[in-house]
Amino acid sequence: MSWSAHVLTLYPEMFPGPLGVSLAGRALAEGIWSLDTVQIRDFATDKHRSVDDTPAGGGAGMVMRADVLARAVDQVLERRPEAPVLAMTPRGRPLDQALVRELAAGPGVSILCGRFEGMDERLLEARPILPVSIGDYVLSGGEVAAIALLDACVRLLPGVMGAASSGEEESFETGLLEYPHYTRPYEWEGRTIPEVLRSGDHARIAAWRHERALADTRSRRPDLVERHGDARRPPPSDARRED
Ligand code: SAM
């Protein structure tokens, strides 16, 4: 069975969106993964098909109702009990490459997309749901976050990137940012490609790339160096190509 994604949303028309083109789109067309959307509003029971209500305690905006969301989640859990259910929320576990790899290695995911002020917290307590955030900023809805998460997972599925490109040497996989890339022309606006990259000496190239990866990570993302330590293995020097 292919890796499957179920997205619970008020805006199913946002899918596949960007996931329908390029690597993810080709993989979708080839059946390497599948994508189904579930309209949350179908689980409302009143004549207005309400999915939200005013926040308890007052305040601006509306909150997605636990009872409506739970019916949608329960249906997905019944259909795909083996797939983890994620809820996109800025209050969730920060998405990183380790979680992406874990999800990509599993059977697929079901993703609940929030809108308005978010979801009634009792839903997240009452069902086996992992809250996930894609960063420390606020989007208007969970759909864009779900698309980012799915894109990151799908490119790791076997057969999506091709044999030469497992993605294992990219940024975050070794705890470092990746080294910088260059291509022709050799000279552009007075700037040249570092000579070492034209040397053909693969050991020197690998060493240079490792040093640059370390230096760039130290200056741009000291938090990564702190988290993973500084002595990471050098990335291999073989060329990779994606899309
Ligand atoms: N009131 C919420 C807060 O301050 O945490 C923000 C709600 S946001 C306007 C609406 C929905 O967008 C959220 O329920 C969530 O599904 C999604 N969303 C917004 N930012 C996100 C992020 N950084 N990561 C994941 N989902 C996000």
Side-chain angles (χ1 to χ4, degrees), residues 18 74 80 88 109 127 166 170 202 235:
D74 288 346
R80 296 297 315 276
M88 304 317 299
V109 284
R127 295 293 184 275
S166 66
E170 284 177 313
H202 294 299

Side-chain angles (χ1 to χ4, degrees), residues 23 26-27 30 32 154-166:
L23 278 186
R26 278 199 298 276
E30 287 167 10
I32 294 175
V154 166
R155 63 192 288 282
L156 296 183
L157 300 178
V160 174
M161 281 195 285
S165 187
S166 66

Side-chain angles (χ1 to χ4, degrees), residues 88-91 112-119 132-142 145:
M88 304 317 299
T89 163
R91 286 162 41 83
L112 186 52
C113 301
R115 282 274 157 179
F116 320 123
E117 290 306 318
M119 307 160 200
V132 175
S133 164
I134 66 159
D136 294 344
Y137 44 83
V138 179
L139 301 166
S140 54

Side-chain angles (χ1 to χ4, degrees), residues 117-181:
E117 290 306 318
M119 307 160 200
D120 187 314
E121 187 68 14
R122 291 171 295 177
L123 174 83
L124 306 179
E125 295 161 5
R127 295 293 184 275
I129 295 175
L130 176 67
V132 175
S133 164
I134 66 159
D136 294 344
Y137 44 83
V138 179
L139 301 166
S140 54
E143 290 78 9
V144 168
I147 287 169
L149 183 148
L150 289 173
D151 182 87
C153 290
V154 166
R155 63 192 288 282
L156 296 183
L157 300 178
V160 174
M161 281 195 285
S165 187
S166 66
E168 277 164 15
E169 297 91 36
E170 284 177 313
S171 292
F172 313 116
E173 294 287 355
T174 60
L176 298 176
L177 300 179
E178 199 185 39
Y179 49 82
H181 295 282

